[in-house]
């Protein structure tokens, strides 16, 4: 990977990115936010902004996406203190 600089360690624009693995995914995605919040509200929406689901989940959870249709989705995670993390993933297979 790229070398880690002081700016990366102290926090950059990337700090509000929701980590999604694997991406693209088929059955489950692992959700992780850079926060010490133990839980988060996780919303999945399509690219038109239609909400697919909303769940209260622990940070670092594996989320079942097997029922989703193939395509691109936006995941937004909100901590109890209101910090928002988001990212996109592709469901395939």
């Amino acid at each position: 990977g790229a070398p880690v600089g002081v700016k990366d360690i102290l926090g950059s624009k990337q700090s509000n990115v929701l980590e999604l693995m694997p991406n693209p995914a088929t059955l489950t995605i692992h959700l992780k936010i850079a926060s010490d919040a133990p839980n988060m509200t996780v919303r999945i929406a399509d690219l038109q902004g239609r909400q697919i689901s909303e769940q209260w989940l622990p940070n670092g959870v594996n989320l079942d996406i097997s029922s989703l249709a193939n395509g691109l989705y936006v995941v937004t995670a909100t901590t109890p203190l209101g910090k928002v993390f988001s990212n996109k993933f592709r469901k395939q297979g």
Side-chain angles (χ1 to χ4, degrees), residues 5-55:
V6 173
K7 188 175 181 183
D8 296 321
I9 294 168
L10 297 178
S12 64
K13 291 184 293 188
Q14 297 299 310
S15 63
N16 280 16
V17 169
L18 172 63
E19 189 178 300
L20 301 172
M21 297 179 351
N23 192 3
T26 54
L27 299 175
T28 63
I29 51 172
H30 182 77
L31 305 178
K32 180 92 174 102
I33 58 174
S35 169
D36 56 7
N39 297 298
M40 54 192 173
T41 300
V42 176
R43 291 181 187 88
I44 298 178
D46 63 21
L47 292 186
Q48 288 72 43
R50 290 185 294 259
Q51 185 170 303
I52 309 295
S53 70
E54 179 175 309
Q55 301 174 62

Side-chain angles (χ1 to χ4, degrees), residues 25-93:
T26 54
L27 299 175
T28 63
I29 51 172
H30 182 77
L31 305 178
K32 180 92 174 102
I33 58 174
S35 169
D36 56 7
N39 297 298
M40 54 192 173
T41 300
V42 176
R43 291 181 187 88
I44 298 178
D46 63 21
L47 292 186
Q48 288 72 43
R50 290 185 294 259
Q51 185 170 303
I52 309 295
S53 70
E54 179 175 309
Q55 301 174 62
W56 178 249
L57 297 169
N59 191 5
V61 72
N62 286 319
L63 182 63
D64 181 354
I65 59 161
S66 60
S67 64
L68 296 178
N70 289 351
L72 282 169
Y73 294 90
V74 178
V75 181
T76 305
T78 307
T79 68
L81 296 177
K83 190 165 185 182
V84 177
F85 300 81
S86 66
N87 206 343
K88 292 179 184 160
F89 75 93
R90 178 179 297 280
K91 163 68 166 47
Q92 67 181 28

